[in-house]
Amino acid sequence: MSIKNRILRKFGFKKDQNGIINRYLRENGGWQSHLINTKNFIEHSAKAKEKETCVILGSGWLLDVPVDNLNEIFKKVYLVDIVHPKQIIHKYRKYKNIEFIKVDISGYIKPVYDFIKKNRKTKTSLNQIVQQFPDDFNKLMNNASMIVSVNILNQLDILICDYIKKYEMYSDEEINNFRKIIQQKHIDLMPRNKSCIITDYEELNYDDNMNLINKKSLIYANLPKGKAIREWKWNFDFSKTYHNNYKTVFNVMAWDL
Ligand SMILES: C[S@@+](CC[C@H](N)C(=O)[O-])C[C@H]1O[C@@H](n2cnc3c(N)ncnc32)[C@H](O)[C@@H]1O
């Protein structure tokens, strides 16, 4: 069940991924400590796992993934994303142990697209939308030795809910409830004792003198209890292109499930 590029374009996935690399370059080294912290956490978490297969969910540009190290210690590494940058495919296509999987990790993109198309006039509850995964993806998750959700938990709902919002059919409350469902299902998908999650969970906006002006939570789901919890800050946008007047920092948390 591969999703047509036309649908992915409508949701803006390719554009969003290009936005990530452009912001990373624009921030000129500002992301470095966040990327190193993420890689270190993944490497540390890998130590206690069996070393057959490692699945990276949200691999993208591999900015925050210690892929060369994982390639050495695991027999097979699966890089999973809805779009893989062609530069990354080109760079790693000769590595026998690395495989690219193109799949919707949320399981909601195609169901939401079909649902809106069918129910545009009726306004059926968003709770009726049924998550769908290809069988291969379920197998991959069940058989993996280690699964990493890498800076994706609070991303999964954004483009899907932006798409729903365009139709102006649902209140903020209804949409936020659906965000919660998307995030909760992602957490529930991660098998216990062999998974880890790294996610930004809070956005902090500062003025030029680094006075905190406002903050908001980015997580709608209930975060599960974790082991080996680590926290740090990600200087996400100091060029003021995310919010015109503010510098934006994310609080990030990483933990083993
Ligand atoms: C914030 S990035 C994580 C950083 C990424 N590891 C990197 O270095 O570019 C989120 C990644 O998740 C992917 N993504 C977002 N929603 C997805 C979905 N529903 N299914 C699969 N991948 C998704 C995006 O394409 C992007 O590459």
Side-chain angles (χ1 to χ4, degrees), residues 8 13 17 20 56-62 78-85 99-105 137 150 152:
L8 297 181
F13 280 100
Q17 197 174 61
I20 293 172
I56 303 291
L57 302 176
S59 54
W61 295 97
L62 298 175
Y78 292 95
L79 302 178
V80 182
D81 207 292
I82 191 70
V83 214
H84 291 284
E99 194 171 319
F100 290 92
I101 309 278
K102 183 179 170 179
V103 75
D104 168 19
I105 294 162
F137 181 62
V150 61
I152 193 177

Side-chain angles (χ1 to χ4, degrees), residues 13-14 16-17 20-21 31 35 56-65 80-85 103-109 150-152 154-157 159-160 200 234:
F13 280 100
K14 185 74 198 161
D16 188 68
Q17 197 174 61
I20 293 172
I21 198 72
W31 286 17
L35 302 179
I56 303 291
L57 302 176
S59 54
W61 295 97
L62 298 175
L63 297 172
D64 46 12
V65 179
V80 182
D81 207 292
I82 191 70
V83 214
H84 291 284
V103 75
D104 168 19
I105 294 162
S106 77
Y108 276 109
I109 299 173
V150 61
N151 291 310
I152 193 177
N154 86 318
Q155 297 287 303
L156 289 175
D157 56 291
L159 294 182
I160 293 175
D200 33 315
W234 174 6

Side-chain angles (χ1 to χ4, degrees), residues 19-57:
I20 293 172
I21 198 72
N22 289 336
R23 188 179 307 282
Y24 162 71
L25 295 171
R26 202 162 48 232
E27 290 302 312
N28 199 16
W31 286 17
Q32 217 47 29
S33 66
H34 162 65
L35 302 179
I36 290 170
N37 283 333
T38 305
K39 287 181 185 175
N40 285 347
F41 183 85
I42 295 170
E43 285 177 358
H44 188 263
S45 178
K47 284 188 185 150
K49 307 289 189 297
E50 285 182 27
K51 303 295 183 300
E52 290 293 318
T53 55
C54 176
V55 175
I56 303 291
L57 302 176

